[in-house]
Amino acid sequence: MVSLSDTAPVASRRPRRPAFRRFTISNVLIAILLLVCVIWLVVPFGMAVLWSLLDPSVRWEYPDVLPPALSFARWIEVWNTTSLPMALRNSYILAPTVAVTTLILASPTAYAFARYDFPGKGAAQVLTLLPLVIPGFVLAIFFSALIFSLGIYSRFLSILLAHSVLFLPYAIRLMTVAFSNVRLDLVDAARDLGASPWARFRVAYWPALAPGILASLIIVFIQSIEEFAVAFVVGAPNFTTIPSILYSYLGYNFVRPNAAVVSLVLVIPNVLLMLGLERLLKSANPAQTGVKG
């Protein structure tokens, strides 16, 4: 007589592999990526926080793993003894203005790149990337000479014009992709149904353009706040930005705790903006929104 156990599939009789053998190459790569992120991002950020909170009355030296005492004295010192308040005001007035100006200047070019085929289009797209490959101080010297030759002596306006040209490639690239996502069949359908120009824009254009507009504004905003060469060459000494103060602590008078304070003032808002941008872009779905419209 043949038992049921003898007729069972051969595969079911195979011994299970140990748990440690179930790791795939993807798990290993993810673990390595997380380790690199911790070493590259978390550790430097944590060290900057600790150095910014180091009490001025003590020293943090080997073999101490953590600072002997913490306080906000460094933050108060930097706020009261430097031009950080004025630099914050200058930076956070300049950067949004640069972002809006760059978006306005980039939109016509991006629309042409996305919607039209013309001779030399590829060369024109490459030429728009030139500001990204030229060294920052070379551009700063060129802009300073050009702006003064034009008779523009306003530091704010000079940096605004220079930053708008410098960061045009980011806005043009992002807005080109955004204009490419606009569905022309929706535009034609809205026109055939007698929709007004504003209604056509709201239904057909805005759902596809919103992520690109938001990304352009935030990326150009962050680039403008972090830019040093043009702001220093064109704006010094009357127009001070946050990177100007940071680089002053990284020069001859190197003060690590004060530099940590200014770096956190510069980095934390940008990190929050990037996290917000990532969340908004994930929640946006131009295809679904366009179909509903």
Side-chain angles (χ1 to χ4, degrees), residues 34 70 113 132 159 181 188 195 213 217 230:
L34 291 176
L70 301 177
F113 285 161
L132 299 180
I159 300 176
N181 291 332
D188 296 335
I213 291 174
L217 290 174
V230 172

Side-chain angles (χ1 to χ4, degrees), residues 189-220:
R191 184 184 297 110
D192 294 340
L193 293 174
S196 63
W198 168 249
R200 292 199 300 268
F201 175 80
R202 180 176 56 83
V203 172
Y205 282 93
W206 178 250
L209 295 180
I213 291 174
L214 181 64
S216 299
L217 290 174
I218 293 183
I219 289 177
V220 174

Side-chain angles (χ1 to χ4, degrees), residues 78-79 82-95 224-225 231 238-246 262 265-266:
V78 171
W79 184 265
T82 68
S83 57
L84 181 60
M86 182 178 64
L88 280 170
R89 183 192 63 188
N90 292 340
S91 295
Y92 281 95
I93 293 176
L94 175 68
S224 178
I225 279 193
N238 298 326
F239 194 90
T240 306
T241 60
I242 302 175
S244 301
I245 298 178
L246 177 60
V262 181
V265 172
L266 180 65

